[in-house]
Amino acid sequence: MDDLQLNISVPKKDKKKASAPQQNAGEYKFVSNAKFTGKTIARKRPQNLAQANREVIKNAEGPPKKVAKFQPPTEEKSDDLGAKLRDLSENKGKYQGKNYQQLSDNIQLKQNKPRSGGWISSLFKNNPQVPRIGQRAVKPIVEKVFAGQTFSDLNIHPHTVANLQQNLGLKELMTVQQNAVPVLLQGRDVLIRSQTGSGKTLAYALPIIEGLQAIRPKISRHDGIRVIVVIPTRELAVQTYELFVKLVKPFHWIVPGLLSGGQKRKAEKARLRKGLSILVGTPGRINDHLRHTQSLNFAKTGCLVLDEADRLLDMGYEKDVAAIVKAIEDHKKAATYDPMALVKQNIVKKIPDEEEAKQETNESENDEKSDVKHHLTEVFLSKEKQTILLSATLTKAVENLAGITLVDPVFVDTSEGKAIIADSLKGKEDSENVISKPEVPVPVKVPEKPKAVKAEAKSSPEKKEIPVDAKRGLKAFTGFNHQELFKAENSTDNNDAKIETATNNAADDDSDSDSDYEYFKAQKKYELTHPKVEKKADDDDDDDDSDDDGDDDEQPSSSVNTFADALKSAIGEDELVLPATVNQSFIIVPMKLRLVTLCGLIVEHCVNNKKGGKMIIFMATLEMVDYHSDLIETVLTGKEVKVKKKGQEKGKNSKSGKRKGDDENDDDAQSSSSEDAEKFQVDYEEPSEGGLVPVDLEMFSLHGSMPHEQRMEVFKQFRAARCGVLICTDVAARGIDIPRVDLVLQYCAPASATDYVHRVGRTGRAAQVGAAVLFLLPSETHFIRHLEQKRIRLRQTDESRALEALRTVVPAAATAQRAAVAVQARLERTAHTNTNWLLRASRAYTSWVRFYSGYPRDVKEYLDAKQLHLGHAAKAFALRDAPATLARRVKSNPSNKEKPSNRLTIHKDEEKKRPGFEKAKFGSFGSRAAQRQSSMHTASEFDSGLSTLDQSQPKNKKKKNK
Ligand SMILES: Nc1ncnc2c1ncn2[C@@H]1O[C@H](COP(=O)(O)OP(=O)(O)OP(=O)(O)O)[C@@H](O)[C@H]1O
């Protein structure tokens, strides 16, 4: 029989007996015939090393070779440990108060005893059939990336055009920029949807700078924040801030600033005191400063940008977003009645510093060059506010958010065959001219006097009316308590006084109020106190703004429908757009082969590729990210991870980023780990048959629980790297623009088709070529059908090339399968080096199992936890234990890792103090599925993978009571 027998034995820690050649020999050997067919058998693992080393390896090409003897531990010693182990299992009472699993692990590691019943599960045996599924006829939606026009075709300042060309190397307009910039310069509220990497950031940043630079007299940083850009993740915030820094180069009086989680609050406070014109930040941190930093004032804010709007809501940031919107309204209102603010502002203006004086001298020069006036500039000067929402994917929750935050909005959607621009101010009769005109480059007919500007001229800013959709959205947005609100709306006559009192209280209350819908009450109050003025304003507007009167619920204006219809159909069609330059494929890999296939793909793409590949690998949980990046790096590069990560260690130490859980379990294992590491390196120096040759590979890892400095450092380093591998959670799935990424690998299936799109969108940006590979288990095959329903087309490939690539690291292996077995053996051996490794591996495994059972309902049928073979899954984590042992090990060493101090870890009592609303309840905002997905994201980022004790205990108690 053509069998491959694998004998794995871990060398003893006994220094005397662990000389290098012996170790190599004792590591693993093949017993095979020359004609290996890939079939392997599992066989009982030899129970002691002496026996193992008596095995004779038959090599068909040469005479039988004896394995170099690995000096067995003395029988006595082995027996000693065996006796200890027996004692441990038989007399558990004796070890009361001690960690049984840890004691057992330690004894077994010392004894080098196989960890699960003494069986080595073979890699290529008992795997399920890999189905070949045909490709369905799917026509992907295509978006044209470049528009064929240049920045100088836009009506913008020549300095900006020159800056774009010289400092950013940009000349040609992208489609979304061509469509959105003119509308934004009109000061209109806009919802922008265009595919990933299509230049949305510049599409909104450019008009903002253009609007601000044209303000005369020039704005000063002391004037207050003019623009707020809210962004869901720190990395994206940094990236956006950096773009603003580049864009303001010709206009140095505009000062951008960054507020993002993890940074020192004190420094941020100082920056805020000094003054900023553009504030870029994450929602949690902005709110933090709203509560604690007096100098943060939004009275002058004329533009609010909510980037990655759907993700902001997914992540449960709706409360923070609502609080920011409310703060802008509040501060603006307060400023209207604050004469001191005006006085202060004038004082500042009258005493210009040197820099300002210089600016004044240059002013006339600039003015000469640009006599362009945009309505957006007038919006900045008025009490109005422009709101911009952006995302590559839209959800029902975004529709609701648009309902509440946008007034007379325009919808810019760049996908072919869809509404390029849907303008809520256009009646249905006009809409034909505006909608479904894919080829028209800038078909915007914006009214000569945009409403925002006109409103300022005719009435006080408070007279801003809330259109029908906004009201509708408002209810949907809050979700809870809206019945009360609805009642109030319908009984204004009777309850005027009552509501007035209630809202007065709410208004008097500081933003720390924990009222559920304080903000909406304030809006309601405004509606109640200004009904007639609004009506009059509407009457006045009748001539040119007849579609504007959205105050009648029963007769919604056609204007609203134009926007709403386009948005609804975009969401309803549920089709997703991906860059056409990305070659998408999937591999169905049996569970046991997943880890080696992953290693093979890394080698194929980053090592064998002469140009040097740069890839991002998405995994489900932070435990998986940490564990896999260290494991793969250790095995493939032969480096001791801690040595390599010296640079990152700095960040770790400064914030005690090293996990507590890791430390406390090191005990005696730690002492032996360096010894083991040394042995590893000896292995690599003298590769023998089956030995691994180290390869040159740069590995990075990123997840939300990393200390801030480390997180930023990794992001910076990977951006600068020419090639390398980033293993990360979905924290890097949105908006992040990393140059030269040419492969995105989804090792764990995404929680939704939307997540798939954003992950894939990290490559193929700005019409660059890229590739995306999705790993699936045989049981997950039908997830492809789910993607096809959303017009995403993928091609099936298999793992053969990846396994073949492993021969680069195991050059002595006769076949790809042998190389795979060798690599798997090394992975397993590394994972069993000491209790620390074991614990990390077990945690990664359990966190994945938990993640897997939490997939949202709409994808659960394709990603069904019941279909998983947990024993095989252990192998994919380089573990040899039975699943029950793995769970027990993690349970006996609960992870005490420090949670990041960001929005998701706000304590309950702190929660109450925050401005805005209570935590949204199920069904309150977006669908239940969205909530579920939100919890998945949380699990993905911060959970250990196990339910906490306090969660599980009451349940058990209840059961027992029953
Ligand atoms: N006019 C242009 N010409 C060439 N490249 C451009 C242009 N505008 C933007 N880019 C580049 O395109 C890349 C993607 O831009 P950006 O990050 O704004 O995309 P996005 O649409 O926001 O993507 P995502 O949806 O993933 O957030 C960036 O590297 C940016 O520098």
Side-chain angles (χ1 to χ4, degrees):
M1 207 167 88
D2 299 333
D3 284 330
L4 172 68
Q5 293 186 332
L6 172 65
N7 173 12
I8 303 173
S9 58
V10 185
K12 277 294 294 177
K13 279 172 202 155
D14 193 333
K15 273 185 187 169
K16 274 184 257 167
K17 291 155 193 170
S19 65
Q22 284 166 342
Q23 193 186 26
N24 281 336
E27 188 188 332
Y28 52 77
K29 288 288 162 191
F30 299 108
V31 179
S32 72
N33 289 345
K35 290 172 195 161
F36 173 67
T37 60
K39 251 176 145 191
T40 58
I41 56 156
R43 70 174 178 81
K44 189 95 166 104
R45 189 187 169 95
Q47 287 301 303
N48 70 52
L49 294 168
Q51 187 191 338
N53 288 315
R54 279 197 295 273
E55 288 283 341
V56 175
I57 311 295
K58 284 187 182 169
N59 190 333
E61 281 143 22
K65 237 179 15 181
K66 259 204 167 175
V67 178
K69 265 188 195 160
F70 180 86
Q71 292 294 320
T74 58
E75 290 295 325
E76 270 171 40
K77 203 168 185 185
S78 179
D79 283 346
D80 224 27
L81 290 163
K84 270 190 194 169
L85 203 62
R86 256 196 318 280
D87 179 47
L88 186 68
S89 66
E90 284 166 9
N91 306 305
K92 282 187 188 170
K94 205 166 110 184
Y95 297 94
Q96 217 169 19
K98 299 205 169 134
N99 187 332
Y100 171 78
Q101 186 61 44
Q102 201 178 325
L103 287 172
S104 158
D105 282 346
N106 286 340
I107 294 173
Q108 290 197 51
L109 280 167
K110 276 182 194 154
Q111 197 192 19
N112 278 321
K113 194 175 183 259
R115 315 194 58 76
S116 70
W119 284 95
I120 303 163
S121 163
S122 78
L123 208 52
F124 292 94
K125 210 187 165 207
N126 291 333
N127 286 321
Q129 280 276 320
V130 171
R132 295 242 20 131
I133 62 164
Q135 215 171 356
R136 286 199 178 152
V138 174
K139 192 166 181 282
I141 303 170
V142 185
E143 270 183 42
K144 214 170 132 192
V145 180
F146 283 95
Q149 290 191 1
T150 61
F151 285 101
S152 44
D153 295 328
L154 290 175
N155 202 9
I156 55 173
H157 199 292
H159 287 183
T160 304
V161 179
N163 183 39
L164 285 170
Q165 198 167 343
Q166 285 158 22
N167 294 325
L168 286 104
L170 306 178
K171 204 173 172 190
E172 196 182 339
L173 275 169
M174 284 174 133
T175 310
V176 69
Q177 292 156 1
Q178 187 184 11
N179 288 315
V181 171
V183 191
L184 288 167
L185 284 172
Q186 294 288 342
R188 300 285 303 275
D189 284 0
V190 180
L191 170 62
I192 300 174
R193 196 224 60 80
S194 77
Q195 69 185 2
T196 52
S198 60
K200 290 188 285 295
T201 320
L202 194 63
Y204 72 78
L206 207 56
I208 285 174
I209 301 299
E210 192 59 20
L212 288 178
Q213 65 77 22
I215 297 175
R216 292 294 178 276
K218 282 175 186 168
I219 59 164
S220 134
R221 64 191 298 169
H222 311 294
D223 288 354
I225 289 160
R226 301 288 184 149
V227 178
I228 304 169
V229 184
V230 185
I231 278 166
T233 63
R234 295 176 198 177
E235 288 78 11
L236 187 50
V238 170
Q239 190 180 293
T240 308
Y241 163 72
E242 284 174 359
L243 178 69
F244 273 108
V245 170
K246 286 180 190 159
L247 290 179
V248 299
K249 264 201 171 145
F251 315 109
H252 49 87
W253 58 95
I254 303 170
V255 184
L258 173 70
L259 294 186
S260 85
Q263 298 212 18
K264 285 199 177 102
R265 281 183 178 79
K266 218 172 161 188
E268 287 182 342
K269 271 176 187 253
R271 233 177 293 149
L272 285 171
R273 262 198 305 274
K274 251 182 132 183
L276 298 173
S277 323
I278 300 168
L279 170 63
V280 180
T282 48
R285 185 48 74 97
I286 295 178
N287 263 306
D288 214 2
H289 282 287
L290 267 176
R291 288 197 295 124
H292 298 120
T293 309
Q294 279 215 327
S295 52
L296 184 61
N297 194 294
F298 297 154
K300 286 278 181 90
T301 301
C303 181
L304 170 68
V305 181
L306 302 174
D307 199 1
E308 303 290 347
D310 57 334
R311 180 66 168 165
L312 280 173
L313 305 176
D314 268 358
M315 287 175 82
Y317 280 133
E318 70 267 26
K319 190 170 74 169
D320 292 298
V321 170
I324 292 166
V325 174
K326 177 187 178 295
I328 298 172
E329 306 267 329
D330 284 355
H331 292 182
K332 276 176 168 280
K333 247 184 249 170
T336 315
Y337 304 107
D338 183 9
M340 277 313 289
L342 287 169
V343 174
K344 272 185 210 163
Q345 199 177 312
N346 287 335
I347 291 170
V348 173
K349 287 241 162 84
K350 273 175 195 162
I351 323 168
D353 54 23
E354 258 179 51
E355 202 177 88
E356 280 166 342
K358 238 192 248 169
Q359 286 171 24
E360 290 300 320
T361 29
N362 293 335
E363 193 176 311
S364 54
E365 195 189 315
N366 278 333
D367 283 346
E368 269 168 37
K369 282 188 180 161
S370 169
D371 50 2
V372 183
K373 287 274 176 287
H374 300 292
H375 289 296
L376 178 58
T377 305
E378 292 176 55
V379 172
F380 279 124
L381 291 170
S382 76
K383 292 284 172 191
E384 292 297 324
K385 171 183 105 250
Q386 177 185 51
T387 306
I388 307 166
L389 305 187
L390 301 109
S391 182
T393 49
L394 298 173
T395 59
K396 188 86 188 118
V398 175
E399 188 187 356
N400 295 337
L401 181 64
I404 183 166
T405 53
L406 305 184
V407 179
D408 297 335
V410 178
F411 178 36
V412 176
D413 184 345
T414 54
S415 56
E416 259 173 38
K418 290 209 179 158
I420 280 193
I421 289 172
D423 185 345
S424 65
L425 286 182
K426 290 274 147 198
K428 272 197 171 151
E429 61 280 5
D430 291 333
S431 65
E432 280 167 21
N433 298 328
V434 196
I435 299 183
S436 305
K437 285 176 77 182
E439 294 308 319
V440 184
V442 190
V444 206
K445 280 193 205 164
V446 184
E448 286 194 4
K449 285 181 180 179
K451 191 201 161 222
V453 179
K454 196 173 55 198
E456 197 238 356
K458 285 188 181 174
S459 56
S460 93
E462 288 193 3
K463 286 168 194 165
K464 189 169 165 184
E465 167 217 344
I466 299 165
V468 177
D469 246 33
K471 287 180 198 162
R472 229 183 266 139
L474 183 144
K475 280 181 243 160
F477 185 59
T478 53
F480 40 99
N481 291 325
H482 65 75
Q483 275 181 339
E484 269 177 66
L485 191 59
F486 187 71
K487 254 190 253 160
E489 274 179 43
N490 290 326
S491 56
T492 48
D493 290 343
N494 301 340
N495 296 331
D496 258 1
K498 225 176 173 180
I499 292 167
E500 187 75 28
T501 326
T503 49
N504 272 342
N505 290 342
D508 292 342
D509 201 0
D510 200 30
S511 55
D512 276 357
S513 160
D514 56 1
S515 160
D516 265 358
Y517 51 106
E518 175 192 350
Y519 169 53
F520 302 108
K521 276 183 179 172
Q523 281 197 326
K524 186 69 213 156
K525 177 192 170 191
Y526 162 72
E527 275 182 77
L528 292 171
T529 49
H530 298 84
K532 281 181 185 156
V533 186
E534 273 177 25
K535 186 76 197 129
K536 195 163 173 276
D538 289 339
D539 289 343
D540 291 344
D541 290 349
D542 266 349
D543 296 343
D544 49 3
D545 243 342
S546 55
D547 336 311
D548 216 345
D549 47 353
D551 56 344
D552 190 347
D553 269 334
E554 284 167 19
Q555 293 175 338
S557 68
S558 56
S559 69
V560 169
N561 287 339
T562 308
F563 172 85
D565 288 350
L567 178 54
K568 265 202 174 64
S569 84
I571 295 169
E573 280 166 20
D574 207 15
E575 293 165 342
L576 298 165
V577 193
L578 273 154
T581 49
V582 181
N583 179 1
Q584 299 170 69
S585 60
F586 65 96
I587 308 183
I588 301 176
V589 191
M591 182 73 90
K592 284 194 286 180
L593 291 173
R594 271 168 73 84
L595 189 54
V596 277
T597 309
L598 175 68
C599 292
L601 263 167
I602 291 174
V603 173
E604 185 194 359
H605 193 73
C606 297
V607 180
N608 293 355
N609 178 358
K610 284 204 178 92
K611 284 183 200 156
K614 192 166 172 181
M615 68 193 287
I616 300 182
I617 301 170
F618 286 100
M619 293 200 179
T621 68
L622 64 97
E623 287 84 359
M624 284 184 81
V625 168
D626 274 344
Y627 169 65
H628 282 92
S629 60
D630 286 353
L631 180 69
I632 293 170
E633 184 172 14
T634 307
V635 168
L636 293 185
T637 68
K639 289 178 203 163
E640 219 282 304
V641 172
K642 274 179 205 152
V643 177
K644 188 247 151 188
K645 288 200 170 160
K646 227 175 180 177
Q648 294 177 10
E649 216 58 35
K650 201 179 146 205
K652 261 189 191 175
N653 296 337
S654 64
K655 284 229 164 191
S656 64
K658 198 164 186 301
R659 302 236 196 111
K660 275 187 191 170
D662 292 350
D663 280 336
E664 72 195 16
N665 296 305
D666 283 356
D667 295 340
D668 65 332
Q670 273 296 351
S671 60
S672 63
S673 69
S674 56
E675 203 179 294
D676 287 337
E678 268 169 37
K679 288 174 191 170
F680 266 150
Q681 288 182 348
V682 173
D683 275 356
Y684 288 117
E685 279 162 18
E686 293 179 358
S688 60
E689 190 200 353
L692 267 64
V693 175
V695 292
D696 201 13
L697 189 65
E698 277 265 45
M699 295 282 291
F700 303 83
S701 58
L702 191 73
H703 59 70
S705 278
M706 273 180 170
H708 181 75
E709 291 90 346
Q710 189 187 352
R711 201 169 146 176
M712 290 302 133
E713 188 59 26
V714 169
F715 181 55
K716 216 170 89 186
Q717 282 179 8
F718 189 61
R719 269 213 299 195
R722 201 180 58 81
C723 52
V725 183
L726 172 72
I727 302 188
C728 58
T729 59
D730 275 345
V731 77
R734 291 278 185 149
I736 299 213
D737 186 58
I738 298 173
R740 297 181 294 278
V741 171
D742 48 7
L743 176 64
V744 166
L745 201 153
Q746 304 193 44
Y747 188 63
C748 302
S752 65
T754 305
D755 285 356
Y756 173 86
V757 167
H758 287 280
R759 286 171 166 193
V760 170
R762 296 319 98 209
T763 186
R765 298 177 73 73
Q768 297 286 309
V769 174
V773 177
L774 172 65
F775 261 51
L776 290 177
L777 291 165
S779 63
E780 296 172 339
T781 307
H782 287 285
F783 188 66
I784 295 301
R785 298 288 175 241
H786 176 64
L787 294 178
E788 283 170 349
Q789 278 165 16
K790 319 263 171 182
R791 292 181 67 175
I792 297 171
R793 190 174 61 190
L794 300 95
R795 190 174 42 85
Q796 184 168 4
T797 57
D798 62 36
E799 73 276 9
S800 55
R801 277 184 59 173
L803 295 186
E804 190 61 37
L806 287 176
R807 295 179 70 183
T808 306
V809 283
V810 196
T815 64
Q817 281 91 341
R818 286 186 185 193
V821 172
V823 172
Q824 176 73 23
R826 177 57 61 87
L827 289 162
E828 288 182 20
R829 195 187 130 185
T830 308
H832 292 78
T833 309
N834 56 41
T835 47
N836 183 25
W837 269 110
L838 259 180
L839 189 62
R840 294 178 69 198
S842 307
R843 274 197 193 132
Y845 170 85
T846 48
S847 72
W848 174 75
V849 172
R850 185 175 174 215
F851 178 91
Y852 205 98
S853 55
Y855 272 110
R857 204 182 313 151
D858 52 337
V859 294
K860 227 183 170 96
E861 59 177 300
Y862 317 107
L863 309 168
D864 185 1
K866 286 183 212 128
Q867 304 292 325
L868 293 179
H869 188 307
L870 293 178
H872 286 194
K875 189 110 185 143
F877 285 82
L879 285 162
R880 298 177 193 150
D881 292 296
T885 313
L886 301 175
R888 215 171 30 242
R889 181 177 299 126
V890 176
K891 216 171 175 179
S892 66
N893 290 284
S895 163
N896 295 327
K897 65 175 180 259
E898 275 179 26
K899 298 218 168 181
S901 54
N902 71 5
R903 154 79 182 79
L904 291 160
T905 51
I906 296 288
H907 294 295
K908 266 229 149 143
D909 46 333
E910 244 181 276
E911 196 72 54
K912 283 186 188 152
K913 284 189 229 150
R914 293 165 74 80
F917 318 101
E918 287 281 302
K919 238 182 187 151
K921 291 159 194 162
F922 273 136
S924 65
F925 189 49
S927 63
R928 223 169 223 278
Q931 296 286 347
R932 185 63 186 263
Q933 194 173 326
S934 162
S935 74
M936 289 257 323
H937 291 308
T938 315
S940 142
E941 287 303 301
F942 307 116
D943 278 6
S944 67
L946 284 178
S947 54
T948 59
L949 282 175
D950 11 338
Q951 270 169 5
S952 55
Q953 270 168 1
K955 270 184 201 166
N956 293 343
K957 266 186 192 172
K958 265 186 200 170
K959 269 186 193 169
K960 272 182 193 170
N961 290 344
K962 270 178 194 173

